[in-house]
Amino acid sequence: MTEPYLTTDQLAARWGVSPATIKGQRHRGNGPAYYYAPLIALPRGTPRVRYPLSQVLAFEEANNITPINP
């Protein structure tokens, strides 16, 4: 079974911020753990950055973040 994940847009909606904010956190290394899905595994136009839900939940707990749209 595979772990659920969130895209940048889904994480931004969950936290009530813009996708640019999430991208900025990722660039600075301040956000939750993420990975890039291989291009060969995805249909064209599908976002490559993935945030494993377990990592998002751990980051939220460690940083006292309450999701707006869980």
Side-chain angles (χ1 to χ4, degrees), residues 17-34:
V17 298
S18 73
T21 299
I22 301 299
K23 290 176 186 177
Q25 287 180 339
R26 185 170 67 234
H27 178 72
R28 290 186 303 275
N30 296 342
Y34 64 93

Side-chain angles (χ1 to χ4, degrees), residues 3-61:
E3 179 176 10
Y5 64 85
L6 300 175
T7 64
T8 300
D9 290 342
Q10 291 168 331
L11 182 57
R14 178 181 175 91
W15 289 353
V17 298
S18 73
T21 299
I22 301 299
K23 290 176 186 177
Q25 287 180 339
R26 185 170 67 234
H27 178 72
R28 290 186 303 275
N30 296 342
Y34 64 93
Y35 73 94
Y36 284 100
L39 282 176
I40 196 161
L42 300 172
R44 184 178 297 255
T46 303
R48 289 185 60 203
V49 176
R50 305 286 191 222
Y51 295 90
L53 184 57
S54 63
Q55 295 294 322
V56 170
L57 295 173
F59 184 83
E60 288 173 349
E61 185 174 333

